[in-house]
Amino acid sequence: MQQKERKQFPNGFLWGASSSAFQIEGGWQEGNKGMTVADFNSFKRSDKQADSKVASDFYHHWEEDIELMKELGLKAYRFSISWARIIPDGDGEVNEEGLAFYHKVINRLIERGITPLVTLYHFDLPYALVEKYNGWESRECVDAFERYAKICFKEFGDKVKYWMVHNEQNLMIRVNERMNIYETDDYLADKMRAQMDYHMFLAHARAVLACHKMVVDGKVGPAISSTCTYPLTNKPEDVWSAKMNDWFKTNYCLDMYYHGEYPGYYMRYLKERDIVPHMEEGDKDILKSAKMDFIGVNYYRTLCSSYLPADEKHPMGSRVYRGNEVDFDQYGYCRDEKNENLQASEYGAQIDPMGLRIVLNEYYQRYHLPMIIAENGLGMADTLTEDERVHDEYRIAYLKEHIKVCQLVIEDGVELFGYCPWSVIDLLSSHQGFKKRYGFVYVNRDDHDVKDLRRIKKDSFYWYQNVIKTNGEQLEQLETER
């Protein structure tokens, strides 16, 4: 029997790579940039790891780095604009130097045939808004974000047609540090969290409406942290717990973006905890009228859960956050478990290409919107050899299997229009500094010595270059060039 021919990636498929401002730019005070929450948090760890002051120094190496992107063959580059580089205090005077920097970057990308995919907010709220309003707890922050978004659309909208509003709101809201939540009482912390989350949804909706009004042919959507959870056993309660884990960590967020209202199970949870956020008249119409054009999917791992019953000490809906502040156990719903069927990276993320196929199919069946992989990658402690090479065959193996899944989901009927692995070059990891590297290009620095910041192409650079050149037809590892 003749083997079925694989469906090819479509012409114009956006082979890309990703980064974020605070993790790559550096130059944290240069060009009149203001401090961000991400800067503030990184400085608290400066004695243990690298901070955002220099990062990968894209601010000074942007020309060289874009030439590397061109050599790699990128069709797209997904990056974020730093709100505090545009408006240093978040809602005050516009910084012309910041605008000029991003104009230069965007212009050069377009000159090199690379489509810019711009994220407006990637974990780096201007710290001045925390000092003034406690950030997203206040509607003032929503107004400030809408103004910032409109400035970006006005400045760059003639050149940038793909916009992502928030990066991983559904994950960001669970990390107290990123949201500036330092309340020790769990109930009060979750009440604040719910209000911040709601305000971010409102800000997202206002930005979507503004983009559609201001950017000719503009496409806008979120970048979400995808979640695929397997039940620990086939007990009905465990199967239900896995569903609830996905719904509470990701699907409620997508439903809010798409439908403009909380799904019933999530509103029940908010009422159970007595943390329903304050909503104003008129919000509902804004939320419901803001229709996203696509979904950016960030995918790294899958999860596993079992049913966790509530008890007198832990009432229905109450949560216990784990050490990483990302995963939580929720009483009456789900408990996070280890999946013994999967291998994990040295940093604990379980490697599971099949999970990517599951989430892309599920999201497409739920929303019927085009999707792009906005992040997908393997963070490892890469080492530079004496002859200055980085043999990251583990990264090649990881990416190869996930790209194969992208082929399969296109066969499944999913409208997938791009793949942007994390990250284009090595950059600052929030909690592992430069020990944990993701890039196709090695940046010659470590946590406490910036060295010469030379860019050194890894084996994966040459491999991905060939993948792009053949439009995904050649995935096998090749002998690397020098």
Side-chain angles (χ1 to χ4, degrees):
M1 185 175 178
Q2 192 171 8
Q3 189 174 4
K4 183 187 171 188
E5 191 174 323
R6 279 266 175 256
K7 189 165 185 178
Q8 299 303 310
F9 286 94
N11 292 331
F13 189 80
L14 293 177
W15 294 102
S18 295
S19 75
S20 82
F22 86 91
Q23 293 172 282
I24 195 173
E25 281 184 5
W28 82 280
Q29 274 187 315
E30 295 186 55
N32 295 316
K33 177 184 170 291
M35 183 168 72
T36 69
V37 170
D39 292 326
F40 177 80
N41 290 328
S42 81
F43 299 159
K44 293 189 298 186
R45 289 187 286 275
S46 290
D47 60 327
K48 298 182 178 68
Q49 66 173 67
D51 58 35
S52 59
K53 289 179 181 176
V54 175
S56 303
D57 205 29
F58 179 81
Y59 190 72
H60 296 108
H61 290 255
W62 64 271
E63 292 173 285
E64 174 190 355
D65 290 342
I66 292 174
E67 290 310 305
L68 282 168
M69 295 179 206
K70 173 64 176 174
E71 182 183 347
L72 181 55
L74 294 190
K75 307 301 182 188
Y77 175 42
R78 185 236 173 178
F79 64 99
S80 71
I81 288 175
S82 173
W83 183 350
R85 201 176 285 286
I86 303 297
I87 309 171
D89 66 356
D91 61 356
E93 239 178 273
V94 176
N95 177 27
E96 295 298 329
E97 285 191 64
L99 292 176
F101 172 71
Y102 290 114
H103 272 299
K104 288 188 295 186
V105 169
I106 290 167
N107 289 343
R108 183 63 59 85
L109 288 168
I110 292 170
E111 287 168 10
R112 295 297 183 262
I114 301 169
T115 300
L117 312 175
V118 173
T119 306
L120 289 169
Y121 176 46
H122 194 128
F123 304 163
D124 55 353
L125 186 75
Y127 196 74
L129 296 181
V130 173
E131 296 176 311
K132 286 189 245 185
Y133 314 126
N134 197 29
W136 290 108
E137 190 175 17
S138 169
R139 286 181 76 97
E140 300 281 357
C141 195
V142 180
D143 297 336
F145 182 80
E146 181 182 23
R147 175 174 175 254
Y148 156 64
K150 286 179 174 178
I151 289 166
C152 290
F153 298 148
K154 179 175 181 292
E155 285 288 329
F156 312 118
D158 60 331
K159 297 175 285 196
V160 177
K161 300 304 178 182
Y162 289 100
W163 296 86
M164 298 182 197
V165 182
H166 300 321
N167 180 74
E168 297 185 339
Q169 175 182 339
N170 59 313
L171 183 145
M172 190 182 348
I173 199 67
R174 307 200 299 263
V175 183
N176 289 349
E177 181 183 75
R178 286 181 181 154
M179 300 306 299
N180 200 56
I181 296 174
Y182 295 106
E183 176 58 61
T184 55
D185 181 276
D186 288 344
Y187 166 74
L188 294 176
D190 281 346
K191 187 174 180 63
M192 187 185 300
R193 192 187 320 280
Q195 189 65 60
M196 288 177 165
D197 203 22
Y198 176 75
H199 283 155
M200 288 178 71
F201 284 125
L202 189 59
H204 184 278
R206 288 192 191 176
V208 167
L209 292 171
C211 184
H212 287 153
K213 185 176 181 180
M214 297 176 68
V215 180
V216 177
D217 297 326
K219 303 293 184 186
V220 61
I224 55 97
S225 174
S226 61
T227 310
C228 173
T229 307
Y230 303 123
L232 182 65
T233 73
N234 60 1
K235 291 178 184 176
E237 294 85 355
D238 286 352
V239 174
W240 177 247
S241 79
K243 295 284 188 187
M244 298 310 289
N245 200 47
D246 288 343
W247 293 359
F248 273 96
K249 288 179 178 171
T250 300
N251 292 19
Y252 89 95
C253 186
L254 282 170
D255 279 359
M256 190 66 163
Y257 290 144
Y258 187 80
H259 297 293
E261 61 184 356
Y262 291 114
Y265 64 85
Y266 203 81
M267 181 56 78
R268 182 183 64 193
Y269 153 73
L270 295 172
K271 289 177 179 176
E272 284 169 353
R273 296 279 285 135
D274 190 25
I275 57 173
V276 177
H278 173 71
M279 308 175 193
E280 292 190 3
E281 191 174 351
D283 288 357
K284 189 173 183 179
D285 290 340
I286 293 169
L287 290 163
K288 282 188 165 294
S289 61
K291 300 299 183 184
M292 58 185 176
D293 300 298
F294 66 90
I295 301 170
V297 177
N298 296 357
Y299 177 86
Y300 292 95
R301 60 177 188 150
T302 51
L303 302 170
C304 183
S305 77
S306 63
Y307 177 67
L308 178 63
D311 55 36
E312 288 185 14
K313 188 177 178 183
H314 302 99
M316 189 78 171
S318 60
R319 297 179 179 179
V320 176
Y321 284 83
R322 292 179 173 266
N324 59 14
E325 288 194 303
V326 172
D327 297 317
F328 55 77
D329 297 337
Q330 186 160 335
Y331 287 86
Y333 295 93
C334 49
R335 171 170 36 217
D336 197 55
E337 303 280 4
K338 182 179 179 181
N339 188 338
E340 299 293 346
N341 297 301
L342 295 174
Q343 291 185 327
S345 75
E346 63 183 285
Y347 291 100
Q350 295 196 303
I351 299 169
D352 182 13
M354 177 57 76
L356 179 59
R357 189 175 189 180
I358 292 170
V359 297
L360 290 175
N361 272 279
E362 180 184 336
Y363 299 160
Y364 194 71
Q365 292 304 317
R366 286 173 70 96
Y367 308 109
H368 291 283
L369 287 172
M371 286 181 285
I372 183 170
I373 307 298
E375 293 181 25
N376 173 234
L378 182 66
M380 297 289 279
D382 296 338
T383 56
L384 190 63
T385 64
E386 286 186 6
D387 62 345
E388 296 204 322
R389 300 188 69 173
V390 178
H391 300 302
D392 57 341
E393 65 284 346
Y394 37 83
R395 181 166 294 109
I396 292 170
Y398 177 97
L399 294 174
K400 179 173 71 173
E401 294 307 313
H402 287 78
I403 291 172
K404 284 180 180 177
V405 164
C406 292
Q407 282 182 312
L408 290 170
V409 300
I410 291 171
E411 284 186 18
D412 293 338
V414 172
E415 192 177 347
L416 185 70
F417 67 93
Y419 178 75
C420 295
W422 188 266
S423 56
V424 63
I425 67 174
D426 288 342
L427 40 67
L428 175 69
S429 175
S430 296
H431 289 88
Q432 287 91 16
F434 277 85
K435 298 180 207 59
K436 187 179 183 184
R437 296 173 181 263
Y438 284 90
F440 293 110
V441 177
Y442 186 90
V443 175
N444 191 38
R445 66 156 297 174
D446 60 31
D447 278 336
H448 299 294
D449 183 357
V450 297
K451 300 181 181 178
D452 57 11
L453 293 164
R454 273 181 306 122
R455 275 54 173 156
I456 299 165
K457 290 169 275 192
K458 303 179 187 179
D459 287 359
S460 60
F461 179 98
Y462 299 106
W463 173 82
Y464 192 47
Q465 182 185 59
N466 195 59
V467 170
I468 297 172
K469 190 183 299 181
T470 63
N471 197 29
E473 290 184 27
Q474 175 58 261
L475 293 178
E476 296 311 309
Q477 189 167 349
L478 302 175
E479 288 297 318
T480 54
E481 306 169 25
R482 286 296 288 162

PDB file of all heavy atoms in Angstrom, residues 14 40 54 101 171 180-181 269 277 280 287 312 316 330 448:
ATOM      1  N   LEU A  14       4.681  31.497   7.891  1.00  0.00           N
ATOM      2  CA  LEU A  14       5.600  32.404   8.591  1.00  0.00           C
ATOM      3  C   LEU A  14       6.543  31.626   9.512  1.00  0.00           C
ATOM      4  O   LEU A  14       6.251  31.393  10.689  1.00  0.00           O
ATOM      5  CB  LEU A  14       4.811  33.451   9.385  1.00  0.00           C
ATOM      6  CG  LEU A  14       4.015  34.459   8.553  1.00  0.00           C
ATOM      7  CD1 LEU A  14       3.225  35.399   9.459  1.00  0.00           C
ATOM      8  CD2 LEU A  14       4.925  35.247   7.621  1.00  0.00           C
ATOM      9  N   PHE A  40      12.323  45.638  37.979  1.00  0.00           N
ATOM     10  CA  PHE A  40      12.293  45.659  39.453  1.00  0.00           C
ATOM     11  C   PHE A  40      12.493  44.258  40.020  1.00  0.00           C
ATOM     12  O   PHE A  40      13.291  44.046  40.941  1.00  0.00           O
ATOM     13  CB  PHE A  40      10.964  46.249  39.919  1.00  0.00           C
ATOM     14  CG  PHE A  40      10.779  46.266  41.411  1.00  0.00           C
ATOM     15  CD1 PHE A  40      11.372  47.244  42.195  1.00  0.00           C
ATOM     16  CD2 PHE A  40       9.995  45.305  42.037  1.00  0.00           C
ATOM     17  CE1 PHE A  40      11.196  47.255  43.576  1.00  0.00           C
ATOM     18  CE2 PHE A  40       9.810  45.308  43.405  1.00  0.00           C
ATOM     19  CZ  PHE A  40      10.415  46.294  44.178  1.00  0.00           C
ATOM     20  N   VAL A  54      21.454  44.649  31.148  1.00  0.00           N
ATOM     21  CA  VAL A  54      22.135  44.411  29.874  1.00  0.00           C
ATOM     22  C   VAL A  54      21.401  43.343  29.066  1.00  0.00           C
ATOM     23  O   VAL A  54      21.246  43.462  27.850  1.00  0.00           O
ATOM     24  CB  VAL A  54      23.605  43.989  30.102  1.00  0.00           C
ATOM     25  CG1 VAL A  54      24.278  43.633  28.774  1.00  0.00           C
ATOM     26  CG2 VAL A  54      24.375  45.103  30.816  1.00  0.00           C
ATOM     27  N   PHE A 101      13.651  54.257  18.268  1.00  0.00           N
ATOM     28  CA  PHE A 101      14.320  52.954  18.326  1.00  0.00           C
ATOM     29  C   PHE A 101      13.491  51.884  17.628  1.00  0.00           C
ATOM     30  O   PHE A 101      13.991  51.124  16.788  1.00  0.00           O
ATOM     31  CB  PHE A 101      14.595  52.563  19.784  1.00  0.00           C
ATOM     32  CG  PHE A 101      15.106  51.154  19.941  1.00  0.00           C
ATOM     33  CD1 PHE A 101      16.387  50.821  19.535  1.00  0.00           C
ATOM     34  CD2 PHE A 101      14.306  50.156  20.481  1.00  0.00           C
ATOM     35  CE1 PHE A 101      16.867  49.521  19.662  1.00  0.00           C
ATOM     36  CE2 PHE A 101      14.769  48.859  20.615  1.00  0.00           C
ATOM     37  CZ  PHE A 101      16.062  48.542  20.206  1.00  0.00           C
ATOM     38  N   LEU A 171      -1.268  33.058  32.321  1.00  0.00           N
ATOM     39  CA  LEU A 171      -0.169  32.617  33.178  1.00  0.00           C
ATOM     40  C   LEU A 171       0.332  33.765  34.050  1.00  0.00           C
ATOM     41  O   LEU A 171       0.585  33.588  35.247  1.00  0.00           O
ATOM     42  CB  LEU A 171       0.965  32.051  32.324  1.00  0.00           C
ATOM     43  CG  LEU A 171       2.162  31.482  33.083  1.00  0.00           C
ATOM     44  CD1 LEU A 171       2.740  30.288  32.343  1.00  0.00           C
ATOM     45  CD2 LEU A 171       3.257  32.524  33.289  1.00  0.00           C
ATOM     46  N   ASN A 180       2.678  42.187  40.835  1.00  0.00           N
ATOM     47  CA  ASN A 180       2.924  43.018  42.007  1.00  0.00           C
ATOM     48  C   ASN A 180       1.892  42.744  43.114  1.00  0.00           C
ATOM     49  O   ASN A 180       1.369  43.650  43.760  1.00  0.00           O
ATOM     50  CB  ASN A 180       2.922  44.508  41.641  1.00  0.00           C
ATOM     51  CG  ASN A 180       3.638  45.351  42.679  1.00  0.00           C
ATOM     52  OD1 ASN A 180       4.795  45.099  42.992  1.00  0.00           O
ATOM     53  ND2 ASN A 180       2.954  46.335  43.230  1.00  0.00           N
ATOM     54  N   ILE A 181       1.600  41.462  43.332  1.00  0.00           N
ATOM     55  CA  ILE A 181       0.703  41.046  44.421  1.00  0.00           C
ATOM     56  C   ILE A 181       1.572  40.542  45.569  1.00  0.00           C
ATOM     57  O   ILE A 181       2.256  39.523  45.434  1.00  0.00           O
ATOM     58  CB  ILE A 181      -0.260  39.936  43.959  1.00  0.00           C
ATOM     59  CG1 ILE A 181      -1.186  40.453  42.852  1.00  0.00           C
ATOM     60  CG2 ILE A 181      -1.090  39.416  45.139  1.00  0.00           C
ATOM     61  CD1 ILE A 181      -2.073  39.379  42.232  1.00  0.00           C
ATOM     62  N   TYR A 269     -16.929  29.870  40.283  1.00  0.00           N
ATOM     63  CA  TYR A 269     -15.737  29.906  41.128  1.00  0.00           C
ATOM     64  C   TYR A 269     -15.563  31.287  41.771  1.00  0.00           C
ATOM     65  O   TYR A 269     -15.302  31.405  42.973  1.00  0.00           O
ATOM     66  CB  TYR A 269     -14.499  29.545  40.305  1.00  0.00           C
ATOM     67  CG  TYR A 269     -13.213  30.137  40.812  1.00  0.00           C
ATOM     68  CD1 TYR A 269     -12.607  29.656  41.975  1.00  0.00           C
ATOM     69  CD2 TYR A 269     -12.600  31.201  40.146  1.00  0.00           C
ATOM     70  CE1 TYR A 269     -11.421  30.214  42.447  1.00  0.00           C
ATOM     71  CE2 TYR A 269     -11.422  31.761  40.610  1.00  0.00           C
ATOM     72  CZ  TYR A 269     -10.845  31.269  41.765  1.00  0.00           C
ATOM     73  OH  TYR A 269      -9.685  31.818  42.236  1.00  0.00           O
ATOM     74  N   PRO A 277     -15.075  40.395  40.409  1.00  0.00           N
ATOM     75  CA  PRO A 277     -14.506  41.734  40.233  1.00  0.00           C
ATOM     76  C   PRO A 277     -15.579  42.790  39.993  1.00  0.00           C
ATOM     77  O   PRO A 277     -16.686  42.497  39.534  1.00  0.00           O
ATOM     78  CB  PRO A 277     -13.606  41.583  39.002  1.00  0.00           C
ATOM     79  CG  PRO A 277     -14.147  40.411  38.254  1.00  0.00           C
ATOM     80  CD  PRO A 277     -14.708  39.493  39.289  1.00  0.00           C
ATOM     81  N   GLU A 280     -18.118  47.788  35.406  1.00  0.00           N
ATOM     82  CA  GLU A 280     -18.893  49.004  35.220  1.00  0.00           C
ATOM     83  C   GLU A 280     -19.841  48.876  34.037  1.00  0.00           C
ATOM     84  O   GLU A 280     -19.632  48.073  33.126  1.00  0.00           O
ATOM     85  CB  GLU A 280     -17.961  50.203  35.037  1.00  0.00           C
ATOM     86  CG  GLU A 280     -17.190  50.545  36.296  1.00  0.00           C
ATOM     87  CD  GLU A 280     -16.456  51.864  36.220  1.00  0.00           C
ATOM     88  OE1 GLU A 280     -16.585  52.570  35.178  1.00  0.00           O
ATOM     89  OE2 GLU A 280     -15.748  52.200  37.185  1.00  0.00           O
ATOM     90  N   LEU A 287     -16.453  44.416  25.796  1.00  0.00           N
ATOM     91  CA  LEU A 287     -15.878  43.068  25.807  1.00  0.00           C
ATOM     92  C   LEU A 287     -16.467  42.204  24.700  1.00  0.00           C
ATOM     93  O   LEU A 287     -15.755  41.439  24.049  1.00  0.00           O
ATOM     94  CB  LEU A 287     -16.110  42.419  27.171  1.00  0.00           C
ATOM     95  CG  LEU A 287     -15.307  43.008  28.338  1.00  0.00           C
ATOM     96  CD1 LEU A 287     -15.907  42.580  29.674  1.00  0.00           C
ATOM     97  CD2 LEU A 287     -13.850  42.578  28.260  1.00  0.00           C
ATOM     98  N   GLU A 312     -13.352  21.005  55.163  1.00  0.00           N
ATOM     99  CA  GLU A 312     -13.654  22.153  56.028  1.00  0.00           C
ATOM    100  C   GLU A 312     -12.511  23.163  56.055  1.00  0.00           C
ATOM    101  O   GLU A 312     -12.724  24.369  56.076  1.00  0.00           O
ATOM    102  CB  GLU A 312     -13.954  21.663  57.455  1.00  0.00           C
ATOM    103  CG  GLU A 312     -15.287  20.960  57.580  1.00  0.00           C
ATOM    104  CD  GLU A 312     -15.598  20.602  59.028  1.00  0.00           C
ATOM    105  OE1 GLU A 312     -14.910  21.128  59.933  1.00  0.00           O
ATOM    106  OE2 GLU A 312     -16.518  19.796  59.238  1.00  0.00           O
ATOM    107  N   MET A 316     -14.495  24.946  48.902  1.00  0.00           N
ATOM    108  CA  MET A 316     -14.622  24.804  47.463  1.00  0.00           C
ATOM    109  C   MET A 316     -14.028  26.016  46.742  1.00  0.00           C
ATOM    110  O   MET A 316     -14.335  27.159  47.055  1.00  0.00           O
ATOM    111  CB  MET A 316     -16.104  24.681  47.109  1.00  0.00           C
ATOM    112  CG  MET A 316     -16.391  24.322  45.675  1.00  0.00           C
ATOM    113  SD  MET A 316     -16.116  22.564  45.408  1.00  0.00           S
ATOM    114  CE  MET A 316     -16.775  22.370  43.760  1.00  0.00           C
ATOM    115  N   GLN A 330      -6.490  23.109  43.267  1.00  0.00           N
ATOM    116  CA  GLN A 330      -7.748  23.818  43.528  1.00  0.00           C
ATOM    117  C   GLN A 330      -8.746  22.855  44.153  1.00  0.00           C
ATOM    118  O   GLN A 330      -9.144  21.868  43.528  1.00  0.00           O
ATOM    119  CB  GLN A 330      -8.293  24.404  42.223  1.00  0.00           C
ATOM    120  CG  GLN A 330      -9.510  25.265  42.430  1.00  0.00           C
ATOM    121  CD  GLN A 330      -9.736  26.202  41.250  1.00  0.00           C
ATOM    122  OE1 GLN A 330      -8.807  26.540  40.540  1.00  0.00           O
ATOM    123  NE2 GLN A 330     -10.960  26.612  41.048  1.00  0.00           N
ATOM    124  N   HIS A 448      27.097  36.747  35.668  1.00  0.00           N
ATOM    125  CA  HIS A 448      27.766  37.852  36.365  1.00  0.00           C
ATOM    126  C   HIS A 448      28.934  38.441  35.592  1.00  0.00           C
ATOM    127  O   HIS A 448      29.666  39.278  36.112  1.00  0.00           O
ATOM    128  CB  HIS A 448      28.212  37.389  37.752  1.00  0.00           C
ATOM    129  CG  HIS A 448      27.056  36.950  38.613  1.00  0.00           C
ATOM    130  ND1 HIS A 448      26.087  37.821  39.050  1.00  0.00           N
ATOM    131  CD2 HIS A 448      26.689  35.725  39.079  1.00  0.00           C
ATOM    132  CE1 HIS A 448      25.183  37.155  39.763  1.00  0.00           C
ATOM    133  NE2 HIS A 448      25.527  35.881  39.796  1.00  0.00           N
TER     134      HIS A 448
END
